[in-house]
Amino acid sequence: TNWESYSQDVGDHSIYVAEISEQLAKYFAPIAVSLSKIHYRFFCDQFVQFFVKRYIEEIYRCRKISEQGAQQLLLDTTLIKTTLLETPVVAGNGGKMQTAYS
């Protein structure tokens, strides 16, 4: 998306956000089955660290962003954040994830 010249009304999330959500669900489920809960949690934490770092780098590469583009990007970022928080639970079949190594 060209965020500098983005002039559409902010409404629903962008197409790329839906694709990210679908891909995470598709690829994380088999990994969740293959790993113990604590190892899966570690995997998810590492993935999020890498993903967020790369996402921020890509936003900075945009340089200029219009007001509507910034609003749409905020909406998309919020949905991506929600997806990243829910993916470990959804792929782990709703089981509570451990938050500490013991």
Side-chain angles (χ1 to χ4, degrees):
T1 304
N2 184 355
W3 296 110
E4 182 178 3
S5 62
Y6 189 88
S7 62
Q8 298 174 358
D9 290 334
V10 177
D12 203 10
H13 57 80
S14 299
I15 295 171
Y16 76 92
V17 175
E19 188 172 328
I20 288 171
S21 297
E22 290 173 16
Q23 295 301 317
L24 286 177
K26 178 180 174 183
Y27 288 107
F28 274 44
I31 294 170
V33 172
S34 302
L35 298 175
S36 67
K37 284 188 177 185
I38 198 151
H39 288 105
Y40 179 63
R41 176 62 188 233
F42 178 76
F43 169 79
C44 290
D45 290 344
Q46 294 298 309
F47 175 82
V48 168
Q49 286 179 7
F50 172 78
F51 183 89
V52 169
K53 181 179 183 249
R54 179 69 187 265
Y55 187 73
I56 291 170
E57 288 172 359
E58 294 300 320
I59 290 172
Y60 277 114
R61 286 183 60 204
C62 294
R63 306 244 178 208
K64 293 182 180 181
I65 301 174
S66 68
E67 184 176 343
Q68 290 91 356
Q71 290 174 356
Q72 184 66 48
L73 195 54
L74 178 61
L75 177 68
D76 293 345
T77 301
T78 302
L79 188 57
I80 288 173
K81 176 185 171 187
T82 302
T83 300
L84 290 173
L85 289 171
E86 291 176 352
T87 298
V89 176
V90 171
N93 293 323
K96 185 176 179 184
M97 299 302 294
Q98 296 177 359
T99 56
Y101 300 97
S102 53

